[in-house]
Amino acid sequence: AKAISATNFESEGREWTQAARVRTETPQPRMITDPKHQEEAIKLLKQAPMFLACKDDHLRKLVKDMERVDFHKGDVLCKQGDPQDRAFFIAEGQIRRERMVNDRTHQVMDTFGNSEPDQYGNRKIAIGVLHVLTRDPSFAEAKCMSQGHLYALSSEALNRHLLSDAILATNIVHSLSVEVRRQSNHVRWLMRTPLLEQRAKKTNVIAVSIAASVESFYRSGLNAAMNAKLSGQWGKLFPNMHIQMPARILYINGFKGLRQYLDLSVKPEEFSNPTAVRLAAVVAPGIVMTPLSSILEASNAGHMNPEPITSRWMRGISWRMVREIIFGIGLNQMSDYWEERIPHQLVEAEPLRNALGSLIAGVCSGYLSHIPHNLSTLKLMTPSKTYLEHLSSLVAQSESRVPNTIPPAARRTVATVFAILFPRAVMIRTAQIVGSFVILNGTINALKYVELPTSIPTAF
């Protein structure tokens, strides 16, 4: 098979481009002459909002000017912004639509190709019907996710039938009026990209570095408070900042840069198990950044662990890796996930949506990463004890919070539940992560429109 960047085929005297396929044959659209195919096309048209009120006799005339097209996985039916010269009605197979907004790719609704309405009443078998009449720019890119076939209606054919068939034109106007009323009763934001499929924003190294510099002081102060809560002994609020700040700049750039690099380089759809590949790409930045995180943590623990920092940074590294994976997912995918899902009727301003998305992700990540953080920190400060001994000490500390009404035999069990589900210093840890996410994502988002000379793609 020979790789080709675009396959052109002629229909009604005009060129239709189908991009990025690897195969030896060129699929050709065919005019619908088979009565069975005509009936299938009519059924699909009647499921599209534009033709709901149209009669079969008028649709039967229309489908004779439509085309049947076989598609394969990887075919691109239309690209965002290109003229929508055809509407597509999917009979078999799955199509995914992706729209670029603010330098980030979003999936638009769910995968198309289902004949049954979804929870909002959408019949996800038609693409481009609201843009085809005057060849308006396509709303989103439509990419084939499997093999199948569809029926295509050209703008020229639709306009010709509208001019020659007044009843068809009236019924289409009626259908669209019904659709507008229905849509007004279901106000919603259509961007719903799954967590593991969130796409990276274009991020500037200088913007990330500025954000990390500011956040390093906030993080250091909260870390000192959290360590004091765990150990009962206060250290300096901003120790070894000549080490902490450069390490933090590299650390945050690593998370953002690795995410963008993996997003550009790894194509999960090309593997037999895309979900596993996406999961590996999501956790990889946390694993890679663990050594840098360990240096940062060791800088804050000199008052409790007198070992030189060259040895101290390895203490607690296994649980710290778990924490960093959670942190990386929260900072990257989860922040974007929640930002995408904040209702636009509640919050329209992009900076506020970004802050709220970071806040929700920070709460989730702070809570989930707290036990790994406590265990790694205690191991760092007291390396002579095992992880199990440190966990036992956390449980013992929680026994003072168990109500006296609990029988003595059950107190240890309740204390264990408290230590895991309601751990010590969880509010400080959550505040630290929330603040870090808001500072980092907010600063990066605020600086994205500033003309800065260096961008992350050029760093790899």
Side-chain angles (χ1 to χ4, degrees), residues 28-59:
Q28 296 290 335
R30 304 184 299 276
M31 302 305 295
I32 307 175
T33 56
D34 188 328
K36 290 174 58 178
H37 292 165
Q38 291 180 359
E39 291 302 315
E40 182 179 40
I42 290 172
K43 290 180 181 179
L44 291 171
L45 287 175
K46 293 180 71 174
Q47 294 181 61
M50 193 174 191
F51 301 100
L52 282 174
C54 298
K55 306 298 183 183
D56 284 7
D57 291 341
H58 300 279
L59 294 180

Side-chain angles (χ1 to χ4, degrees), residues 14 58 76 89 102 106 115 117 123 174 208 228 277 291 296 308 322 336 348 369 377 386 403 417 424 442 454:
R14 297 191 314 105
H58 300 279
V76 176
F89 303 88
N102 293 328
H106 304 261
S115 60
R123 294 169 175 83
H174 180 208
V208 175
V277 176
L296 287 166
V322 177
D336 294 343
E348 281 285 346
S369 67
T377 300
T386 66
V417 172
R424 291 173 62 86
T454 307

